[in-house]
Amino acid sequence: MGEVIGLIVAFLGGAILTYFFGFARQQQADYSVVSDQSDNTVMAPVEGTIIPLTSVHDEVFASEAMGKGLAIVPNKGTVTAPVDGTITAVYPTGHAIGITANSGAEILIHIGINTVQLNGQYFETMVKQNQVVKRGDLLTKFDVDKIKTAGYDTTVMVIITNTADYQMVKPTDATETSDNWILELQPKEIMEGAPANV
């Protein structure tokens, strides 16, 4: 009789422990989804060499007055969507474009320094205001060589204009663009070790 009771206790104890430990593992799995940074990363909109935003030859951008970010010296004149989102600003001169990511990040892509003075020459915008785009969609074309010949710096600034909404805007350590992220954003409301859906 004692052996039967022992088996029952062992079975029930194992079932209860499995239930609770299994539940805890499920919570951890859910947390990994919540903490996945893929929705809070910004890809490179242009190909080229990555430089610190503070090193660009424009005080407004270099001072980070418009927000944190980085800059890219382009080797190709195509701008693609760095995130899934909606086009929220299309400048008539084609030198800049604004996009709001589905995650809420507000991103300004500014092509060149003082290139607004070109009045749209050497730029071709491929999207419209309020257009929904996916990462990698073509946004703008620009002629790198002709803009340089006209005497303008072609450095592309990628700015998070709502930087204040984030605990951190972390630039990549890479010096060249690739298929990896260039900016990682940590929203203020995400508390370390505390999943948002629990």
Side-chain angles (χ1 to χ4, degrees):
M1 187 58 137
E3 293 176 355
V4 172
I5 293 173
L7 287 172
I8 292 172
V9 169
F11 175 79
L12 290 176
I16 290 169
L17 288 173
T18 300
Y19 175 79
F20 282 110
F21 282 114
F23 184 70
R25 283 194 297 271
Q26 182 60 46
Q27 281 189 319
Q28 181 63 35
D30 289 343
Y31 176 58
S32 70
V33 172
V34 172
S35 63
D36 181 5
Q37 294 297 304
S38 62
D39 288 338
N40 287 309
T41 54
V42 178
M43 306 298 282
V46 295
E47 293 181 12
T49 301
I50 299 170
I51 61 173
L53 187 62
T54 53
S55 71
V56 303
H57 303 297
D58 184 297
E59 185 57 30
V60 174
F61 292 114
S63 67
E64 300 183 334
M66 295 187 69
K68 293 185 179 295
L70 50 65
I72 302 169
V73 178
N75 55 33
K76 187 176 180 181
T78 55
V79 177
T80 57
V83 293
D84 295 346
T86 303
I87 301 299
T88 47
V90 177
Y91 291 77
T93 51
H95 76 290
I97 196 161
I99 179 171
T100 298
N102 293 340
S103 65
E106 297 171 6
I107 303 163
L108 172 66
I109 303 169
H110 192 285
I111 307 165
I113 295 173
N114 296 325
T115 47
V116 63
Q117 297 172 4
L118 289 169
N119 292 315
Q121 192 175 17
Y122 312 132
F123 293 93
E124 183 181 4
T125 303
M126 314 301 291
V127 291
K128 297 179 180 179
Q129 186 93 9
N130 299 319
Q131 182 174 333
V132 175
V133 294
K134 303 290 282 184
R135 279 185 203 222
D137 285 354
L138 181 61
L139 304 182
T140 304
K141 294 180 181 179
F142 63 102
D143 193 314
V144 177
D145 293 333
K146 288 183 179 178
I147 292 172
K148 284 182 178 178
T149 300
Y152 293 88
D153 185 330
T154 59
T155 301
V156 177
M157 280 65 70
V158 184
I159 312 294
I160 307 301
T161 57
N162 62 334
T163 290
D165 293 342
Y166 293 92
Q167 186 70 33
M168 177 186 69
V169 175
K170 177 186 176 185
T172 179
D173 292 329
T175 57
E176 297 292 328
T177 57
S178 66
D179 292 334
N180 297 321
W181 56 269
I182 58 166
L183 291 171
E184 183 178 12
L185 314 178
Q186 180 183 335
K188 283 185 176 180
E189 63 272 20
I190 300 297
M191 302 299 291
E192 186 176 351
N197 66 339
V198 174

